[in-house]
Amino acid sequence: LMIYVITPTYKRPEQIPELTRLSHTLRLVKNITWLVIDDAESKSSVVEKLLNKSGIRYEYMLAPMPNEFRSNKKYLPRGVSNRNKGITWIRNNAKTGIIYFADDDNTYDLKLFEEIRKTKKISMFPVGLVTHLGLSTPIVKNCTFIGFYDGYYAGRKYPVDFAGFAISVEFLLKSPNATIPFKAGYEEDLFLKRLLPFSFGDIELLASCCTEILVWHTQTKKNHPTRKTTMIK
Ligand code: UGA
Ligand code: MN
C-alpha cells in the first residue's frame, strides 16, 4: 500500500539541511511517493538534485503562496497552497493509499510509517514538542478516544497538528471539494470538517493507543547567516 507523503517546503538557508534529513528518513520507508511542493515561482535545481539522488519515488511541484496572504506577516498560512497542490495531485493520480502531511522540519520515527499504513479512514497519534505543553495528542482511555490535549484549542473541534493524523486516499476521494483553507491556525480543523462526517469514535488511534510519540514538531533555530557576529574581530 502506497503512502503519499505531502511535504511543503520553501527557500531559506535551512531548506537543504531540512530536506536532507527528511530524505534520509524517507529513504528507509518502502512504498512511498514523496510529493515535495515548493512555495516558489520556479523550481530549484538544488532541491531537484537532492530529490534525484535520494532514490525516493517523488514528484516535485510548485505552489507559491498567493500574495494577498504573503503580505499578512503576522498570520501566514504556511504550506497551505503546497498541501492543496499535493491533495490535487493525489485526486488525479491515486485511487488507494495513505496520505500524510509531513512538514520538512519535523522529526519522524520510522515506526510512524508502519503505523499510518494501517489507516482505514482517518487515524490520529501524538505529536511531541507542539506548543508550550510539548505535546498534542488524542486523550485515550482503554484505547478509546475521550478528547484532545493541545496547547491551542481556539474553539477548534479538532485541535490537532498536520503531523498528528493520516487519512486514506479512499476517504479523501469521497469529499471531492475538501481543501485546506488559507486561515492560519485553523487549517487542520477546517480541512477535517470538510471531509465526510466522521465521529470521534471513528478515529483510529495509532502508536499503541496513542501512548508513543513517533513524530516531533521540531523547529530549526535560524542562524541568521547574513548578520554580522560580534564573536569575530
Ligand atoms: C505549524 C504547523 O505545524 C504547520 O502544520 C502549519 O502549517 C504552520 O504552523 C502554520 O500554519 O503556520 P510551524 O513549524 O510553525 O508549523 O511552521 P513551518 O514549519 O515554518 O511551516 C510549515 C510548513 O510549510 C513547512 O513544511 C514549511 O517548509 C512550509 N512553509 C513555511 C512554506 O511552504 N512557506 C512559508 O512561507 C513558510
Ligand atoms: Mn515546522
Side-chain angles (χ1 to χ4, degrees), residues 28 166 206 215 230-231:
L28 300 170
L206 300 182
V215 52
T230 51
M231 300 289 282

Side-chain angles (χ1 to χ4, degrees), residues 8 10 39 78 82-83 103-105 161-162 187 217 219:
Y10 71 113
D39 177 357
R78 296 185 187 90
N82 326 40
R83 295 188 192 97
D103 287 356
D104 59 0
D105 57 339
D161 186 84
F162 271 115
E187 295 97 332
H217 192 260
Q219 292 186 300

Side-chain angles (χ1 to χ4, degrees), residues 175-182 189-197:
S175 306
N177 300 316
T179 59
I180 299 168
F182 287 89
D189 187 46
L190 295 174
F191 173 63
L192 294 174
K193 285 173 175 167
R194 288 173 179 187
L195 295 173
L196 214 65

Side-chain angles (χ1 to χ4, degrees), residues 23-166:
S23 72
H24 289 189
T25 300
L26 296 182
R27 268 182 194 194
L28 300 170
V29 183
K30 289 197 183 75
N31 287 317
I32 64 156
T33 299
W34 193 15
L35 307 179
V36 178
I37 305 111
D38 212 333
D39 177 357
E41 299 286 345
S42 56
K43 288 193 178 177
S44 152
S45 57
V46 194
V47 170
E48 219 151 20
K49 199 185 272 177
L50 184 152
L51 295 172
N52 253 317
K53 76 174 182 194
S54 76
I56 301 164
R57 179 204 309 263
Y58 75 88
E59 294 286 334
Y60 181 42
M61 294 174 267
L62 296 175
M65 184 189 298
N67 280 327
E68 48 181 309
F69 303 114
R70 174 93 55 202
S71 55
N72 189 344
K73 290 261 169 351
K74 210 169 165 204
Y75 301 105
L76 217 56
R78 296 185 187 90
V80 173
S81 23
N82 326 40
R83 295 188 192 97
N84 279 330
K85 183 96 180 183
I87 289 172
T88 302
W89 187 94
I90 288 166
R91 289 192 192 284
N92 294 330
N93 292 280
K95 286 198 166 61
T96 60
I98 310 297
I99 302 163
Y100 183 61
F101 297 102
D103 287 356
D104 59 0
D105 57 339
N106 294 339
T107 305
Y108 307 90
D109 187 311
L110 292 174
K111 189 180 172 187
L112 175 75
F113 301 95
E114 292 173 32
E115 286 293 301
I116 61 178
R117 234 183 263 283
K118 301 172 185 168
T119 306
K120 299 276 173 265
K121 197 162 161 183
I122 177 159
S123 62
M124 292 191 183
F125 33 85
V127 184
L129 302 177
V130 182
T131 77
H132 61 287
L133 296 179
L135 179 68
S136 171
T137 183
I139 303 168
V140 174
K141 202 170 180 182
N142 301 323
C143 213
T144 304
F145 174 95
I146 57 169
F148 287 109
Y149 178 83
D150 191 277
Y152 170 75
Y153 287 100
R156 296 183 295 168
K157 181 175 183 188
Y158 304 107
V160 298
D161 186 84
F162 271 115
F165 68 92

Side-chain angles (χ1 to χ4, degrees), residues 14-25:
E14 300 82 10
Q15 183 178 34
I16 296 302
E18 305 286 24
L19 290 174
T20 298
R21 193 156 51 107
L22 180 51
S23 72
H24 289 189
T25 300

